[in-house]
Amino acid sequence: MMSRKSRKPRQRPLARRSPDKADPGRNGSTPRSDDGDERGRAAERALPPVPGVDLGQVARCYAAAVPRVLAAPRWRAIGADLMVLGLLVFLNAMVGRRIGELPSASPPSAVLVAVAVYLAVVAGGCGLLFLTARSLRTRPDTVDLTVPRSSRVWAVLATQGQHAWVLLAMAISTLPLAVVTVLGLGFDTLRIVARDGNVIFGAAGVVGFVDWLRLVADGMGGIRGTGRPRPLDRVATQLTVVAASVRRAADDPEAIDHADVRWWVGSLERSARDAGRFALRSVPWWDWEARHAAHLDGLRLAAVVRAHKTPLTRAMSGDDFAKVANSLTAGLDAWSRGDFAALVRNAPEVTRRARLRPVLARLGPPAILIGSGIVLPLLPPLNAAPEAAASARTALLVGAAMVLATGSAQQAPDYLKTVLEKTVLPK
């Protein structure tokens, strides 16, 4: 690795798309036939020559998979986006209306609390909307070698279309309210700004809903135009971009810095997550035995993909980068031949991890303490002693917070026993 000051300029992308060519990942239009040729040529030039690997076949399969991946709708992300957008607009309307109804005699502390709640609702909702918007469309530069790589934030805003403007409008609508509150310009000004901010926020929500409808229409059109992606299309296209980029690093390792390695490792992790679920969509949800087998196959493939992360993080020479690029290319060759056994030949033994067990182990004891803090003060003898009930409730809630913060689940019985001994069962 070389210092950022002496770093050589990045290489230009292998090929650039002409301005008149359609981009199926952005507008849902049908790609021109020469787009596939361009992608195929780019893949054949970018991937390293590996003995026994037919780069021409890999390039053809890659060029055919990219349009399917870019045009494929992500229905879960689209559904989650609509839920977050609707909930955010509803909560904003409720809280904003409460602020507008504050009486002029309200103490400053009540105004600050109301505005803080409003800003927290908007900030949290916009954050969730940003996360869902990241998954609405596939970023072209992560799967298409003919698209130049761009910065992370700009790439998200550039590929999300009107959703980016919706987020900006929602964020901007809260700034005047915060400024008026901090400067203390009076209740009348506060109510006017809250009302106008609600109007802007609602208009942004309408624009976001229209963009959501367009996403659904584009998704349906993409399925009709290019067909659905095959099970490993997304994984293979992502790995092709990583392999090509790592191959360039092998040719010029001094031009690589930590940001490049982080991008590769992040891309491999996203590919591994996609690989872990690649076969589940083909299995009925009620066939648990088949789903278990499909999940294990996905986990094995995901383990093979993740195995390339460590060699990348400790690579120090061109040969180290070349080994990773060659290994990824060999895996792409097995994908192009449809040889799943070759893909997972070197996979380690994997087991399904229980998803709910760690969550229940962490949240179960605090939930019991919180429930006890709610129920016990309502039961005799605490219901006849308000001070003792309040003390027990506070102790149990504090204990729940401590157990949740420290992760010491074994302390929960001690908290509950102590509270019972001091309040319910006094000596």
Side-chain angles (χ1 to χ4, degrees):
M1 307 285 177
M2 66 180 301
S3 63
R4 191 175 290 274
K5 181 180 296 184
S6 60
R7 180 186 173 189
K8 298 181 181 179
R10 291 186 187 276
Q11 292 184 350
R12 303 295 294 175
L14 298 171
R16 295 293 296 267
R17 179 179 287 116
S18 302
D20 59 337
K21 293 180 181 177
D23 185 355
R26 300 176 199 179
N27 53 26
S29 56
T30 303
R32 292 172 51 150
S33 59
D34 51 354
D35 280 349
D37 296 337
E38 184 181 3
R39 292 187 181 108
R41 290 192 297 269
E44 198 164 359
R45 291 195 304 266
L47 295 176
V50 179
V53 173
D54 186 355
L55 289 182
Q57 181 179 355
V58 174
R60 288 190 296 271
C61 292
Y62 165 77
V66 170
R68 295 194 293 263
V69 172
L70 290 176
R74 296 188 173 186
W75 296 119
R76 289 186 179 179
I78 291 175
D81 182 78
L82 178 63
M83 294 178 59
V84 172
L85 183 63
L87 181 62
L88 182 57
V89 172
F90 173 75
L91 292 177
N92 172 79
M94 294 291 292
V95 179
R97 186 179 64 189
R98 295 295 184 185
I99 293 176
E101 294 174 353
L102 284 174
S104 300
S106 299
S109 59
V111 177
L112 290 176
V113 170
V115 174
V117 170
Y118 175 80
L119 296 178
V121 167
V122 173
C126 287
L128 289 176
L129 195 62
F130 178 81
L131 293 177
T132 57
R134 288 181 57 188
S135 302
L136 291 176
R137 304 173 178 90
T138 300
R139 277 179 48 182
D141 61 325
T142 62
V143 297
D144 193 348
L145 287 172
T146 63
V147 175
R149 208 178 96 192
S150 55
S151 63
R152 184 177 182 181
V153 175
W154 172 247
V156 171
L157 294 177
T159 56
Q160 298 317 317
Q162 292 182 357
H163 258 68
W165 297 108
V166 169
L167 286 169
L168 291 176
M170 288 180 173
I172 292 173
S173 68
T174 64
L175 293 179
L177 183 63
V179 172
V180 169
T181 304
V182 172
L183 297 181
L185 299 181
F187 285 97
D188 293 337
T189 305
L190 180 68
R191 283 193 286 264
I192 293 173
V193 170
R195 184 187 61 220
D196 294 344
N198 256 337
V199 173
I200 297 174
F201 205 98
V206 172
V207 173
F209 180 69
V210 172
D211 188 48
W212 182 87
L213 293 176
R214 187 173 61 83
L215 277 171
V216 174
D218 289 348
M220 299 300 296
I223 292 175
R224 290 192 297 267
T226 60
R228 298 181 183 273
R230 296 174 183 175
L232 288 175
D233 278 357
R234 190 181 303 277
V235 177
T237 52
Q238 291 173 339
L239 294 182
T240 301
V241 174
V242 175
S245 184
V246 175
R247 188 266 178 102
R248 289 196 295 269
D251 295 337
D252 190 9
E254 295 183 354
I256 304 303
D257 65 3
H258 297 293
D260 297 297
V261 178
R262 285 196 300 269
W263 190 84
W264 296 333
V265 172
S267 297
L268 288 174
E269 179 58 32
R270 288 190 294 271
S271 301
R273 289 198 296 265
D274 290 337
R277 302 185 298 266
F278 86 97
L280 291 177
R281 293 183 180 180
S282 303
V283 183
W285 63 268
W286 46 263
D287 193 342
W288 293 106
E289 184 176 355
R291 289 188 69 83
H292 178 74
H295 194 193
L296 285 181
D297 285 340
L299 292 178
R300 294 169 63 198
L301 182 57
V304 172
V305 175
R306 289 191 176 98
H308 295 84
K309 296 196 297 184
T310 301
L312 276 178
T313 57
R314 65 188 181 199
M316 300 182 63
S317 65
D319 291 339
D320 295 333
F321 289 114
K323 291 178 181 178
V324 176
N326 293 345
S327 177
L328 291 174
T329 303
L332 291 170
D333 177 62
W335 162 72
S336 67
R337 293 184 284 105
D339 190 352
F340 182 78
L343 279 172
V344 296
R345 182 174 298 151
N346 298 320
E349 291 295 328
V350 296
T351 56
R352 293 183 61 183
R353 293 183 300 177
R355 296 182 179 181
L356 294 179
R357 188 176 301 170
V359 176
L360 294 177
R362 183 65 182 265
L363 300 182
I368 294 175
L369 290 177
I370 293 174
S372 301
I374 296 174
V375 174
L376 285 179
L378 303 178
L379 302 176
L382 292 181
N383 60 349
E387 294 183 359
S391 176
R393 181 184 295 110
T394 302
L396 288 171
L397 294 179
V398 170
M402 293 292 294
V403 170
L404 183 61
T406 60
S408 300
Q410 63 272 15
Q411 295 181 0
D414 296 334
Y415 280 116
L416 185 58
K417 181 180 178 182
T418 301
V419 171
L420 291 175
E421 290 177 349
K422 291 183 177 180
T423 58
V424 181
L425 302 173
K427 294 182 180 180

